[in-house]
């Protein structure tokens, strides 16, 4: 059996009891470590599970999935995924390959950022499609998120923006010289995200949002030290210090709001009076 | 401290290790039992936790929240919620009241149907807003879901439809005679949902979907015996026997699809050839 085990959002104790039983008993335990990260080290997980863990990087999952699935017709293999196993599309591939090989698959769900973000006080019913934001470079500034956010905002919905993480990225200079050297991990902050969003609005000019649009920055959702900062996009450009360590994500508000959402979120505001006046003018009683 | 503890989707072992520790130590343990249900009895939970549980019905949570919060400034109270604590809006109220009383709040996330549904193979990125479907009566047929689904489908997105559950509903005849007698619990099936959706399409006629629109019926998501049935809305009207016991939910597909979704979902189809031909004509390579 191939078990897809969700690990949840924060530390070693966010695994479910059902998931922990599977991990303890499985023949091999893999940890998918490139679409998201837990906020504790591999050694902490290994000690807690009482098992050694094989780190499954992108290459292993995409190119050598049959190694992961070896003998899973008769043995139990646990493939652990931060958050929920079906949050990222990569794992769909693994399940399809298991099906081809006649391997039964079982899924052990857990919290994902897609529902965990509800802790910021915005109602999950009012969210549209989720978008991703990658680090811009001088010549690569993908902006499909802008069109998606426009679609959501046109019908009044909030947008969850998931922020880029770069894990085990090869250094390009070294690669050109034939050596693989990995860059240190990089995690996008809310500040960078808000800045990139405003840059694209300036370029495109379709008034999807602006500096005074309300948003919520989130850090370490689901952890004991989770932090939410509510404010305008301009204010969130400078909120990284308050938010602290990774992982960050951002929600841009839609206009179809409920007063309870304001009651809840205003408490997180950088400037409560400013938040309230923009809320009253632009978000309250809108559809 | 008020702890909001997500219990996940299925049975007593879906609680996280962190959540279980809280439940075992808390002074009082409540179980919110009207926005969703676990698929095991209260006694199973009580045995597993080694604790007695106070069932918190709608009246208690909405009218007597201060009883739940009593002494939580200095004692730990665990308020357990099926799925994730922020899936339903009621719990936002409880947190706001706790804040007023100066009670610290901690949230222990878990899987919600809103991310668990990803196990059907449709990508969570391609979902729009979630809608709810209630049991129609002769003179109450709320159809706001239709407008919401239209918004999602206009931009190509899937729609998760959450189905009505009726728990502890008073019998109206008895109530008129001054006695409170509760109806047995009722859980909407995929068949009823698909039927009601088609009725509203017939009434409204805006061609948001039709009998041949593709959808996926889901039963007991996250459980060992979860079932998915893929088919047209017309086929799903008759899929209740295959789906089996509650809880059910339904996903109506949008046209912005990925071929991996088809590879994954077709396996669940009532009629794979029919699914494939509608997919190729209406969903493949659309935006």
């Amino acid at each position: 059996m191939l078990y897809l085990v969700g690990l949840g959002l924060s530390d070693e104790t966010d695994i479910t009891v059902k998931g922990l039983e599977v991990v303890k008993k499985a023949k091999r335990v893999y940890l998918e470590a490139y679409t998201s990260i837990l906020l504790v080290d591999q050694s902490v997980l290994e000690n807690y599970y009482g098992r050694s863990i094989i780190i499954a990087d992108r290459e292993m999952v995409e190119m050598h999935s049959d190694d992961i699935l070896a003998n899973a017709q008769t043995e139990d293999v646990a493939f652990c995924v931060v958050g929920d196993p079906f949050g990222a599309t990569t794992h769909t591939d693994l399940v399809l390959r298991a099906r081809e090989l006649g391997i039964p698959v079982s899924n052990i769900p857990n919290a994902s950022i897609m529902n965990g973000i509800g802790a910021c006080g915005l109602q999950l019913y009012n969210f549209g499609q989720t978008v991703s934001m990658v680090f811009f470079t001088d010549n690569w500034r993908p902006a499909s998120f802008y069109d998606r956010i426009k679609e959501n905002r046109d019908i009044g919905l909030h947008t969850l923006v998931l922020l880029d993480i770069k894990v085990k990225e090869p250094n390009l200079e070294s690669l050109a010289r034939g050596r693989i050297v990995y860059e240190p991990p990089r995690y996008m902050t809310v500040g960078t995200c808000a800045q990139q969003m405003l840059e694209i609005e300036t370029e495109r000019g379709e008034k999807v949002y602006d500096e005074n649009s309300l948003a919520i920055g989130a850090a370490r959702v689901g952890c004991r030290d989770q932090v939410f900062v509510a404010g305008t996009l301009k204010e969130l450009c400078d909120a990284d210090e308050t938010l602290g360590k990774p992982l960050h994500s951002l929600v841009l508000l839609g206009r179809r709001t409920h007063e309870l959402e304001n009651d809840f979120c205003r408490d997180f505001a950088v400037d409560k009076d400013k938040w309230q006046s923009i809320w009253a003018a632009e978000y309250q009683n809108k559809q």
Side-chain angles (χ1 to χ4, degrees), chain A residues 1 4 45 80 84 90 102 106 112 123 146 162 165 188 190 193 238 271 281 285:
Chain A
M1 176 88 84
L4 301 174
L45 292 183
C80 299
D84 184 73
T90 312
S106 184
S112 145
Q123 296 176 2
Y146 187 78
L162 300 178
I165 71 171
M188 189 184 288
V190 162
C193 174
D238 301 313
D271 177 338
N285 302 321

PDB file of all heavy atoms in Angstrom, chain A residues 1 4 45 80 84 90 102 106 112 123 146 162 165 188 190 193 238 271 281 285:
ATOM      1  N   MET A   1       0.841  -1.201   0.000  1.00  0.00           N
ATOM      2  CA  MET A   1       0.000   0.000   0.000  1.00  0.00           C
ATOM      3  C   MET A   1       0.876   1.252   0.000  1.00  0.00           C
ATOM      4  O   MET A   1       1.837   1.344   0.751  1.00  0.00           O
ATOM      5  CB  MET A   1      -0.895  -0.024   1.262  1.00  0.00           C
ATOM      6  CG  MET A   1      -1.761   1.192   1.452  1.00  0.00           C
ATOM      7  SD  MET A   1      -3.376   1.084   0.635  1.00  0.00           S
ATOM      8  CE  MET A   1      -4.322   0.192   1.870  1.00  0.00           C
ATOM      9  N   LEU A   4      -0.317   8.144   1.394  1.00  0.00           N
ATOM     10  CA  LEU A   4       0.020   9.567   1.311  1.00  0.00           C
ATOM     11  C   LEU A   4      -0.377  10.174   2.648  1.00  0.00           C
ATOM     12  O   LEU A   4      -1.560  10.181   3.009  1.00  0.00           O
ATOM     13  CB  LEU A   4      -0.766  10.230   0.188  1.00  0.00           C
ATOM     14  CG  LEU A   4      -0.555   9.641  -1.205  1.00  0.00           C
ATOM     15  CD1 LEU A   4      -1.520  10.296  -2.194  1.00  0.00           C
ATOM     16  CD2 LEU A   4       0.880   9.843  -1.662  1.00  0.00           C
ATOM     17  N   LEU A  45      11.832  15.334  13.205  1.00  0.00           N
ATOM     18  CA  LEU A  45      10.819  14.376  12.741  1.00  0.00           C
ATOM     19  C   LEU A  45      11.297  12.947  12.961  1.00  0.00           C
ATOM     20  O   LEU A  45      10.548  12.091  13.435  1.00  0.00           O
ATOM     21  CB  LEU A  45      10.529  14.577  11.241  1.00  0.00           C
ATOM     22  CG  LEU A  45       9.836  15.864  10.816  1.00  0.00           C
ATOM     23  CD1 LEU A  45       9.581  15.839   9.309  1.00  0.00           C
ATOM     24  CD2 LEU A  45       8.507  16.034  11.553  1.00  0.00           C
ATOM     25  N   CYS A  80       5.232  11.101   2.930  1.00  0.00           N
ATOM     26  CA  CYS A  80       4.747  12.209   3.776  1.00  0.00           C
ATOM     27  C   CYS A  80       4.841  13.531   3.021  1.00  0.00           C
ATOM     28  O   CYS A  80       5.834  13.815   2.358  1.00  0.00           O
ATOM     29  CB  CYS A  80       5.585  12.302   5.038  1.00  0.00           C
ATOM     30  SG  CYS A  80       5.509  10.814   6.048  1.00  0.00           S
ATOM     31  N   ASP A  84      -1.459  19.047   3.220  1.00  0.00           N
ATOM     32  CA  ASP A  84      -2.318  17.943   2.781  1.00  0.00           C
ATOM     33  C   ASP A  84      -1.736  17.309   1.512  1.00  0.00           C
ATOM     34  O   ASP A  84      -1.202  18.027   0.656  1.00  0.00           O
ATOM     35  CB  ASP A  84      -3.722  18.499   2.483  1.00  0.00           C
ATOM     36  CG  ASP A  84      -4.694  17.394   2.112  1.00  0.00           C
ATOM     37  OD1 ASP A  84      -5.091  16.638   3.020  1.00  0.00           O
ATOM     38  OD2 ASP A  84      -5.048  17.266   0.922  1.00  0.00           O
ATOM     39  N   THR A  90       1.964  17.453  -7.942  1.00  0.00           N
ATOM     40  CA  THR A  90       2.979  16.417  -8.144  1.00  0.00           C
ATOM     41  C   THR A  90       2.518  15.047  -7.651  1.00  0.00           C
ATOM     42  O   THR A  90       2.842  14.014  -8.227  1.00  0.00           O
ATOM     43  CB  THR A  90       4.254  16.794  -7.362  1.00  0.00           C
ATOM     44  OG1 THR A  90       4.553  18.139  -7.643  1.00  0.00           O
ATOM     45  CG2 THR A  90       5.395  15.907  -7.749  1.00  0.00           C
ATOM     46  N   GLY A 102      -0.645  -1.333 -10.106  1.00  0.00           N
ATOM     47  CA  GLY A 102      -1.538  -2.164  -9.298  1.00  0.00           C
ATOM     48  C   GLY A 102      -1.319  -2.026  -7.804  1.00  0.00           C
ATOM     49  O   GLY A 102      -1.579  -2.954  -7.033  1.00  0.00           O
ATOM     50  N   SER A 106      -3.741   4.846  -0.225  1.00  0.00           N
ATOM     51  CA  SER A 106      -4.600   5.368   0.836  1.00  0.00           C
ATOM     52  C   SER A 106      -4.116   6.767   1.202  1.00  0.00           C
ATOM     53  O   SER A 106      -2.912   7.030   1.225  1.00  0.00           O
ATOM     54  CB  SER A 106      -4.545   4.446   2.053  1.00  0.00           C
ATOM     55  OG  SER A 106      -5.432   4.901   3.038  1.00  0.00           O
ATOM     56  N   SER A 112      -4.220  22.041   5.253  1.00  0.00           N
ATOM     57  CA  SER A 112      -3.441  22.651   4.189  1.00  0.00           C
ATOM     58  C   SER A 112      -3.531  24.157   4.414  1.00  0.00           C
ATOM     59  O   SER A 112      -4.433  24.646   5.090  1.00  0.00           O
ATOM     60  CB  SER A 112      -4.073  22.245   2.858  1.00  0.00           C
ATOM     61  OG  SER A 112      -3.979  23.266   1.911  1.00  0.00           O
ATOM     62  N   GLN A 123     -13.774  34.436   5.704  1.00  0.00           N
ATOM     63  CA  GLN A 123     -14.530  33.194   5.605  1.00  0.00           C
ATOM     64  C   GLN A 123     -14.163  32.423   4.339  1.00  0.00           C
ATOM     65  O   GLN A 123     -14.152  32.977   3.236  1.00  0.00           O
ATOM     66  CB  GLN A 123     -16.019  33.524   5.673  1.00  0.00           C
ATOM     67  CG  GLN A 123     -16.338  34.128   7.041  1.00  0.00           C
ATOM     68  CD  GLN A 123     -17.774  34.573   7.194  1.00  0.00           C
ATOM     69  OE1 GLN A 123     -18.585  34.411   6.294  1.00  0.00           O
ATOM     70  NE2 GLN A 123     -18.074  35.122   8.359  1.00  0.00           N
ATOM     71  N   TYR A 146      -2.110  38.025 -11.848  1.00  0.00           N
ATOM     72  CA  TYR A 146      -2.865  39.273 -11.971  1.00  0.00           C
ATOM     73  C   TYR A 146      -4.234  39.028 -12.613  1.00  0.00           C
ATOM     74  O   TYR A 146      -5.255  39.530 -12.138  1.00  0.00           O
ATOM     75  CB  TYR A 146      -2.043  40.259 -12.799  1.00  0.00           C
ATOM     76  CG  TYR A 146      -2.606  41.663 -12.874  1.00  0.00           C
ATOM     77  CD1 TYR A 146      -2.450  42.547 -11.821  1.00  0.00           C
ATOM     78  CD2 TYR A 146      -3.276  42.097 -14.020  1.00  0.00           C
ATOM     79  CE1 TYR A 146      -2.951  43.846 -11.900  1.00  0.00           C
ATOM     80  CE2 TYR A 146      -3.779  43.390 -14.104  1.00  0.00           C
ATOM     81  CZ  TYR A 146      -3.616  44.263 -13.039  1.00  0.00           C
ATOM     82  OH  TYR A 146      -4.116  45.532 -13.119  1.00  0.00           O
ATOM     83  N   LEU A 162      -0.130  32.187  -2.618  1.00  0.00           N
ATOM     84  CA  LEU A 162       0.908  31.331  -2.038  1.00  0.00           C
ATOM     85  C   LEU A 162       2.259  31.808  -2.545  1.00  0.00           C
ATOM     86  O   LEU A 162       2.425  32.098  -3.730  1.00  0.00           O
ATOM     87  CB  LEU A 162       0.684  29.875  -2.449  1.00  0.00           C
ATOM     88  CG  LEU A 162      -0.666  29.288  -2.013  1.00  0.00           C
ATOM     89  CD1 LEU A 162      -0.800  27.853  -2.512  1.00  0.00           C
ATOM     90  CD2 LEU A 162      -0.816  29.339  -0.497  1.00  0.00           C
ATOM     91  N   ILE A 165       8.782  29.277  -2.716  1.00  0.00           N
ATOM     92  CA  ILE A 165       9.920  28.815  -1.923  1.00  0.00           C
ATOM     93  C   ILE A 165      10.914  28.191  -2.889  1.00  0.00           C
ATOM     94  O   ILE A 165      10.534  27.536  -3.862  1.00  0.00           O
ATOM     95  CB  ILE A 165       9.514  27.823  -0.803  1.00  0.00           C
ATOM     96  CG1 ILE A 165       9.090  26.473  -1.364  1.00  0.00           C
ATOM     97  CG2 ILE A 165       8.388  28.379   0.053  1.00  0.00           C
ATOM     98  CD1 ILE A 165       8.904  25.436  -0.267  1.00  0.00           C
ATOM     99  N   MET A 188       9.820  33.478  -0.003  1.00  0.00           N
ATOM    100  CA  MET A 188       9.299  34.816  -0.264  1.00  0.00           C
ATOM    101  C   MET A 188       8.557  35.354   0.958  1.00  0.00           C
ATOM    102  O   MET A 188       7.823  34.625   1.622  1.00  0.00           O
ATOM    103  CB  MET A 188       8.359  34.825  -1.472  1.00  0.00           C
ATOM    104  CG  MET A 188       7.982  36.260  -1.882  1.00  0.00           C
ATOM    105  SD  MET A 188       6.795  36.307  -3.238  1.00  0.00           S
ATOM    106  CE  MET A 188       7.827  35.794  -4.584  1.00  0.00           C
ATOM    107  N   VAL A 190       5.905  38.355   2.697  1.00  0.00           N
ATOM    108  CA  VAL A 190       4.732  39.161   2.364  1.00  0.00           C
ATOM    109  C   VAL A 190       5.158  40.495   1.745  1.00  0.00           C
ATOM    110  O   VAL A 190       4.541  40.978   0.789  1.00  0.00           O
ATOM    111  CB  VAL A 190       3.871  39.382   3.636  1.00  0.00           C
ATOM    112  CG1 VAL A 190       2.914  40.554   3.465  1.00  0.00           C
ATOM    113  CG2 VAL A 190       3.100  38.106   3.969  1.00  0.00           C
ATOM    114  N   CYS A 193       6.043  39.993  -1.840  1.00  0.00           N
ATOM    115  CA  CYS A 193       4.821  39.686  -2.587  1.00  0.00           C
ATOM    116  C   CYS A 193       4.021  40.962  -2.849  1.00  0.00           C
ATOM    117  O   CYS A 193       3.618  41.240  -3.986  1.00  0.00           O
ATOM    118  CB  CYS A 193       3.982  38.667  -1.820  1.00  0.00           C
ATOM    119  SG  CYS A 193       2.375  38.355  -2.568  1.00  0.00           S
ATOM    120  N   ASP A 238       5.931  46.769   4.104  1.00  0.00           N
ATOM    121  CA  ASP A 238       6.891  47.009   5.195  1.00  0.00           C
ATOM    122  C   ASP A 238       6.569  46.198   6.454  1.00  0.00           C
ATOM    123  O   ASP A 238       6.964  46.581   7.552  1.00  0.00           O
ATOM    124  CB  ASP A 238       6.895  48.503   5.551  1.00  0.00           C
ATOM    125  CG  ASP A 238       7.268  49.362   4.361  1.00  0.00           C
ATOM    126  OD1 ASP A 238       8.265  49.016   3.690  1.00  0.00           O
ATOM    127  OD2 ASP A 238       6.551  50.337   4.078  1.00  0.00           O
ATOM    128  N   ASP A 271      -2.863  49.818  11.269  1.00  0.00           N
ATOM    129  CA  ASP A 271      -3.452  51.101  11.638  1.00  0.00           C
ATOM    130  C   ASP A 271      -4.975  50.891  11.619  1.00  0.00           C
ATOM    131  O   ASP A 271      -5.598  50.912  10.558  1.00  0.00           O
ATOM    132  CB  ASP A 271      -3.008  52.159  10.621  1.00  0.00           C
ATOM    133  CG  ASP A 271      -3.629  53.531  10.877  1.00  0.00           C
ATOM    134  OD1 ASP A 271      -4.695  53.598  11.545  1.00  0.00           O
ATOM    135  OD2 ASP A 271      -3.067  54.526  10.384  1.00  0.00           O
ATOM    136  N   ALA A 281     -15.591  52.468   3.360  1.00  0.00           N
ATOM    137  CA  ALA A 281     -15.787  53.084   2.044  1.00  0.00           C
ATOM    138  C   ALA A 281     -15.830  52.063   0.911  1.00  0.00           C
ATOM    139  O   ALA A 281     -16.587  52.231  -0.053  1.00  0.00           O
ATOM    140  CB  ALA A 281     -14.663  54.093   1.785  1.00  0.00           C
ATOM    141  N   ASN A 285     -20.885  46.222   3.096  1.00  0.00           N
ATOM    142  CA  ASN A 285     -22.166  46.131   2.381  1.00  0.00           C
ATOM    143  C   ASN A 285     -22.026  46.122   0.866  1.00  0.00           C
ATOM    144  O   ASN A 285     -22.901  46.599   0.152  1.00  0.00           O
ATOM    145  CB  ASN A 285     -23.110  47.279   2.781  1.00  0.00           C
ATOM    146  CG  ASN A 285     -23.378  47.288   4.261  1.00  0.00           C
ATOM    147  OD1 ASN A 285     -23.533  46.222   4.865  1.00  0.00           O
ATOM    148  ND2 ASN A 285     -23.423  48.458   4.849  1.00  0.00           N
TER     149      ASN A 285
END
